[in-house]
Amino acid sequence: MEVVQVLHMNKGNGEASYAQNSKVQNKILTIAKPIIEEALFELLGSNNVMSIESMGIADLGCSSGPNALLIVSEIVDYIHAQLSSGLLHPSSSSVEFRVFLNDLFSNDFNTVFMSLPAFYNKLREDDRYKRLLGANHNLFISAVPGSFYGRLFARKSLHFVHSSSSLHWLSQVPPSLDSKAFPAPNKGKIYISKSSPQSVLDAYSRQFQEDFSMFLKSRAEEIVGGGRMVLSFMGRPTLDPTTEQSCYQWELLALALMSMVSDGLVAEEKVDSFNAPYYAPCAEELKLELQKDGSFILDRLEAFEIDWDGGADVVDDHQAIPVNGYESVDYDQMVAKRGNRVAKTIRAVVESMIEAHFGTEIMDELFRRYAELVTNHLSKTRTKYINLVISLIRRN
C-alpha cells in the first residue's frame, strides 16, 4: 500500500467527512493550545525574531475541515495579543507572516482553499488585526503538498512549526509486514495486538524510529536556530506497545473485519494482508530519537488522556426518561450514541486506506459492526487515547 497515495481524511462536508467528524482532533488542539502559546511567547521574545522581516510558520498535516485554519487563527490571535501588550519588539509590527499548510498530495486542499476568503475577510473586518497585519495585510497562506518525512521547505526558512494528530501515521507499512509475506506475520490483525508476535512489534518500532529520525533531520534543515516546534500525536503511557490505550481501537476494527470473514463477506487473506501504517510511541522512544539526532532541545513533554469520542457532554446526548417523577438517564442509548460517534470518527480517518484494500462495497456494513463493538466496549470500560505533546527548540 502506497501510503502517500491512499492516506487522506474523508473529503468534503458530508455525513462521513472528516469535517463533520473531527471533534477528537479539535480536542487535541485545545489541549495543546497553552503549550503552543508558551512556545510562541519564548520565540517572540528571543533575539532570533526581534529584527526579522518575514516569519515562516508551518502546519504539518493540516488536513481539511474546521480544524485546518484553526491553528493559524490562534497563532495570529496570540501574536496580536502580545503585540497589543507591548511585549513584542516595536519592529515586529511590520513583520510579514508566511504560513504554509502541509499535507499529503491526496488531501482535500480544495475545501481548505474555499474557506480562505472568509478567513481573510474576518481579519480585514476586525480592527484588532490592522496593526498586526498592516495596510497590506501581511499574512500569506499557501499550501505545500508532500510527505513531512523528507524536506518540504527551503533551508532556515521557518521559525515556528506545528503538527497535530499526524505523526502517528508512518511513511509506509513496515516492509517485513508486506502483504505478499507468507505465512502472514500478523494473521487476523491489522495492527499491534496482544497476540501479535514480537517480530511485528519490532517491525513497527523500527519503522517509527526511521520515520521520526527523518522528520527531525528534515526540520533541522528548515528551522532557524532558536526556532520552535510543537508536535501533538497519539502515543502510549508505557513501554508496552500492546497497551489498550495505544492499539485497542485497531483491535476492534480487526474484530469487525473478522466477523465479516466468518459471514463470507470478506476474504480472510484480505485481512491477513492489511496492516495499518500507524504507530503510537511512548515518551522514552521520542527522547531516544531526539538524543540521537541532537538538533533539538526538548523543552516540554506532556501526556494527556482523551475520550475516544472527544469527551462529548453527557447532558447533550442522553435521553431523559421520567421514573417516579424524576429523570433517569438511558445509559444504553447514551453509550450507543458514543459508539456511533467513535465509529464515524475512525471512519473519517481510515476509510481511504480500508477502501483501497477491501473495496467500497463493505464500508457501511464494516463500520456498522465496528460501532456495535465499540459500544459494547464502552459499556464496560472507558478506554482513552493517550496524546503526547512535545515542545522543541532548534539548537543554534
Side-chain angles (χ1 to χ4, degrees):
M1 177 172 61
E2 292 292 334
V3 173
V4 295
Q5 295 178 8
V6 302
L7 176 59
H8 60 78
M9 307 299 102
N10 277 358
K11 301 179 181 182
N13 292 289
E15 183 180 351
S17 69
Y18 180 79
Q20 297 294 325
N21 298 282
S22 52
K23 182 173 182 178
V24 171
Q25 293 82 357
N26 181 270
K27 180 71 171 181
I28 290 169
L29 288 170
T30 301
I31 288 174
K33 184 177 179 180
I35 299 175
I36 294 170
E37 290 180 347
E38 178 184 90
L40 283 170
F41 181 81
E42 294 172 355
L43 173 66
L44 295 170
S46 69
N47 292 328
N48 301 73
V49 299
M50 278 191 175
S51 59
I52 65 169
E53 296 180 353
S54 180
M55 179 182 291
I57 300 167
D59 185 26
L60 308 181
C62 65
S63 191
S64 59
N67 294 335
L69 292 173
L70 179 60
I71 188 62
V72 178
S73 177
E74 291 184 348
I75 288 173
V76 171
D77 278 343
Y78 185 78
I79 294 176
H80 169 265
Q82 297 305 307
L83 179 63
S84 299
S85 69
L87 294 178
L88 288 184
H89 192 272
S91 64
S92 299
S93 60
S94 61
V95 172
E96 292 183 347
F97 297 91
R98 296 171 286 109
V99 177
F100 304 104
L101 303 178
N102 158 260
D103 213 308
L104 294 176
F105 300 101
S106 53
N107 182 57
D108 187 8
F109 283 108
N110 282 342
T111 298
V112 179
F113 295 152
M114 290 294 290
S115 65
L116 281 176
F119 180 78
Y120 282 127
N121 286 337
K122 174 188 173 184
L123 296 185
R124 292 189 184 101
E125 293 169 2
D126 195 330
D127 291 337
R128 297 180 306 156
Y129 293 98
K130 288 183 177 177
R131 184 181 171 196
L132 173 63
L133 301 180
N136 297 320
H137 304 286
N138 299 327
L139 173 64
F140 304 96
I141 299 176
S142 58
V144 180
S147 172
F148 48 52
Y149 295 123
R151 288 287 301 278
L152 290 166
F153 308 100
R155 292 184 70 251
K156 299 187 183 303
S157 62
L158 301 177
H159 298 83
F160 185 77
V161 171
H162 169 265
S163 180
S164 184
S165 301
S166 297
L167 275 163
H168 43 251
W169 294 112
L170 300 173
S171 67
Q172 62 179 352
V173 174
S176 62
L177 304 184
D178 185 87
S179 60
K180 298 181 181 63
F182 183 84
N186 201 24
K187 189 171 179 58
K189 305 297 179 182
I190 61 175
Y191 181 58
I192 292 170
S193 74
K194 291 289 186 183
S195 63
S196 296
Q198 187 62 43
S199 61
V200 171
L201 277 55
D202 292 342
Y204 271 106
S205 178
R206 283 195 302 272
Q207 188 62 52
F208 172 77
Q209 291 170 25
E210 292 175 9
D211 283 348
F212 194 55
S213 174
M214 180 58 67
F215 178 88
L216 293 174
K217 284 182 172 61
S218 300
R219 304 295 83 75
E221 290 288 320
E222 298 162 350
I223 299 175
V224 301
R228 298 301 203 276
M229 184 158 60
V230 177
L231 313 172
S232 304
F233 45 94
M234 296 299 183
R236 64 179 195 269
T238 69
L239 292 172
D240 179 11
T242 68
T243 182
E244 281 196 351
Q245 293 102 320
S246 68
C247 66
Y248 204 66
Q249 70 273 25
W250 295 104
E251 179 77 5
L252 293 178
L253 190 55
L255 288 173
L257 283 165
M258 291 304 292
S259 75
M260 297 183 75
V261 170
S262 298
D263 291 341
L265 301 174
V266 172
E268 186 172 3
E269 295 78 12
K270 277 287 191 180
V271 179
D272 292 343
S273 61
F274 180 86
N275 290 281
Y278 174 96
Y279 188 74
C282 62
E284 288 76 9
E285 289 173 295
L286 298 178
K287 291 176 182 178
L288 179 60
E289 293 307 312
L290 286 165
Q291 183 179 16
K292 287 194 296 186
D293 178 80
S295 300
F296 293 91
I297 300 168
L298 178 59
D299 187 45
R300 187 170 174 181
L301 192 159
E302 302 284 349
F304 301 93
E305 289 187 337
I306 299 175
D307 287 320
W308 277 11
D309 65 346
D313 191 344
V314 175
V315 175
D316 291 336
D317 296 316
H318 76 255
Q319 294 291 325
I321 301 174
V323 177
N324 296 328
Y326 296 94
E327 285 190 339
S328 174
V329 176
D330 184 344
Y331 285 104
D332 288 341
Q333 199 167 38
M334 179 193 72
V335 173
K337 286 186 176 181
R338 286 190 163 174
N340 285 325
R341 265 199 305 272
V342 173
K344 287 182 177 181
T345 299
I346 296 298
R347 180 173 183 171
V349 172
V350 307
E351 184 169 15
S352 64
M353 294 182 296
I354 302 289
E355 185 177 278
H357 188 80
F358 293 93
T360 61
E361 61 276 1
I362 73 164
M363 291 301 105
D364 289 343
E365 178 61 17
L366 171 61
F367 286 100
R368 184 192 68 77
R369 296 182 184 217
Y370 183 62
E372 290 181 353
L373 289 168
V374 172
T375 297
N376 182 58
H377 176 71
L378 293 178
S379 70
K380 300 173 182 177
T381 184
R382 291 292 296 276
T383 302
K384 299 192 178 189
Y385 296 125
I386 300 297
N387 189 67
L388 300 179
V389 183
I390 59 175
S391 180
L392 305 173
I393 306 171
R394 177 68 173 95
R395 295 182 187 276
N396 288 312

